[in-house]
């Protein structure tokens, strides 16, 4: 699995060396930067620009590329023992998913469930700046079945929707186990999914503006649900 970009490269080098297979450089580094890489003990393979572009499939690698072990998804029976989970349903933009995972990990969410057939973890690790390696992630297909399973282990399920109850009025201190569901960038969550949830929550808008980018909305909701 190949990841690229300076930020994710050095994050993995510092925190997840056990995942590294091979390191590639496609640029000349200053002494301090090169020394930091060399001290890791991994052999550095030099790439010319054309080869690096090929490895990164045209992406902005910034001269730093890395081959890492395949991502191992978490076990659902394990993840549902936690108290605060994030569920993504219908979100397709890799940048948004990566940003959500980065925020979820930074704010203290304990796991993420992606509802869909598959998740391109090579891209997600890069767009999350490596945060995906520290957050337990599960892929499930059936969102309604998932909600039922979580309710069976006492989760209260919150659906994010612009018509939902204003997040700052929510009382969560006595809610031990909770999960937040976010829907697709263009269509949000279906009425059927919202009805299945325990409560629908949203963010009050001002200045006649009716929506936020899904990753920005998530950051507000997640912070409020953790720190209420």
């Amino acid at each position: 699995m190949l990841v690229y970009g300076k930020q994710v490269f050095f994050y993995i080098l510092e925190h997840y060396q056990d995942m590294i297979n091979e390191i590639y450089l496609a640029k000349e580094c200053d002494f301090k930067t090169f020394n930091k890489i060399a001290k890791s003990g991994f052999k550095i393979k030099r790439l010319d620009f054309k080869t690096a572009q090929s490895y990164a499939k045209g992406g902005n690698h910034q001269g730093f590329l890395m081959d890492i072990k395949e991502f191992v998804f978490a076990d659902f029976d394990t993840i549902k023992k936690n108290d605060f989970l994030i569920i993504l349903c219908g979100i397709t933009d890799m940048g948004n998913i990566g940003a959500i995972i980065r925020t979820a990990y930074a704010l203290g969410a304990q796991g993420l469930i992606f509802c869909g057939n598959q998740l391109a973890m090579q891209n997600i690790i890069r767009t999350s700046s490596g945060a995906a390696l520290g957050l337990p992630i599960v892929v499930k297909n059936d969102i309604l079945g998932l909600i039922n399973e979580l309710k069976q282990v006492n989760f209260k399920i919150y659906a994010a929707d612009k018509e939902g109850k204003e997040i700052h009025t929510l009382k969560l201190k006595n809610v031990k186990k909770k999960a937040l569901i976010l829907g697709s960038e263009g269509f949000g969550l279906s009425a059927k999914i919202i009805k299945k949830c325990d409560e629908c929550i949203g963010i009050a808008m001002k200045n006649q503006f009716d929506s936020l980018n899904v990753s920005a909305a998530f950051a507000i909701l997640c912070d409020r649900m953790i720190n209420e």
Side-chain angles (χ1 to χ4, degrees), residues 86-105:
I86 309 303
I87 303 169
L88 305 184
C89 180
I91 298 178
T92 58
D93 185 274
M94 293 295 107
N96 282 334
I97 296 172
I100 289 170
I101 289 174
R102 186 175 179 177
T103 300
Y105 185 59

Side-chain angles (χ1 to χ4, degrees), residues 87 142-152 155 157 181 192-194 196-198:
I87 303 169
D142 179 10
I143 180 63
L144 298 179
L146 170 63
I147 293 172
N148 285 335
E149 288 186 74
L150 290 177
K151 285 187 174 184
Q152 288 172 8
F155 271 90
I157 314 296
I181 304 181
K192 189 174 184 179
I193 293 173
I194 292 174
K196 190 80 172 173
C197 295
D198 296 295

